[in-house]
Every structure is written in structure tokens, then in C-alpha cells.
Amino acid sequence: MAETLGPFEQAVLLAVIRLGNAAYGRAIHREAARRLDRQIAAGAVFSTLERLERKKLLTSRVDAGGDERRGRPRRYYYPRAAAIDALNESRATMEAIWYRMPKPLRSDL
């Protein structure tokens, strides 16, 4: 059974997947905020990235920064196979929960 993911963890993982080889902290923050259609704290994204690494759903590496970053390093994140399994299971769980429910829900049910 795959890891159970909350909605915010799903948004961060999907941002990492969407960004591919360009998945570094600030880019992930922007993509996750776009996916959630709201402002989110950068600290929430970075703590979630750390948590997902501890859960072994992500791996990361630090690359030396170029001239545009004045040599400051940048950490890039990559999904592991377990992340894909966890996302698929989370999606299937939500679809099962919502099965045969009207969309959108009405208050007169």
C-alpha cells in the first residue's frame, strides 16, 4: 500500500513532476500555488519537500549555481517511483469516496 498523501502534499508532488528537471524550491512554490489557485507560504512548501524526502517519495541533489545566482547552489527535487504510486492511490481513493455523488453537491439533498 502506498503512502497516504494530503492535498497539499499532492499539489507539491504534482508540481515537482510537472517541472521535471527544473524542479527547485521557488519554481515548485510557484507551480503549487498555481495548481491550488491561491497564495501559499514558501516555508510550507519547503517543509513539505523535506517531509516528502523523509517519506522517501522525493530525492534531491544540490547543483552549483551559475552566474545568474552568483555561485549560490540550488537544490533540485525528483520524484521516486513510490511518489507516483502514492499519487495514483490518493487519486483512486478520492474518486472512490466521490463515486456516484452529484457534481456539484447541492444543499437540498
Side-chain angles (χ1 to χ4, degrees):
M1 183 158 148
E3 183 74 38
T4 301
L5 300 173
F8 194 76
E9 290 175 318
Q10 290 177 51
V12 170
L13 275 175
L14 289 169
V16 170
I17 291 166
R18 174 82 172 91
L19 291 165
N21 289 332
Y24 62 92
R26 287 293 182 189
I28 295 166
H29 174 248
R30 284 190 300 272
E31 177 67 18
R34 188 189 66 72
R35 287 189 164 279
L36 294 168
D37 194 27
R38 64 182 169 97
Q39 291 185 354
I40 54 177
V45 172
F46 286 100
S47 64
T48 299
L49 289 167
E50 289 176 11
R51 184 171 60 255
L52 292 170
E53 273 197 287
R54 283 194 308 273
K55 290 181 174 184
K56 302 205 182 311
L57 298 176
L58 289 178
T59 186
S60 68
R61 76 167 199 280
V62 177
D63 281 352
D67 292 337
E68 74 281 354
R69 291 186 46 81
R70 297 185 202 131
R72 292 186 317 244
R74 179 176 276 169
R75 182 174 296 277
Y76 290 89
Y77 295 87
Y78 304 92
R80 292 178 165 209
I84 305 304
D85 294 342
L87 283 167
N88 284 328
E89 186 168 315
S90 295
R91 186 177 195 171
T93 298
M94 291 310 296
E95 288 171 354
I97 290 170
W98 282 91
Y99 181 69
R100 290 195 174 170
M101 294 299 295
K103 183 179 177 182
L105 286 178
R106 298 183 323 265
S107 60
D108 63 344
L109 291 179

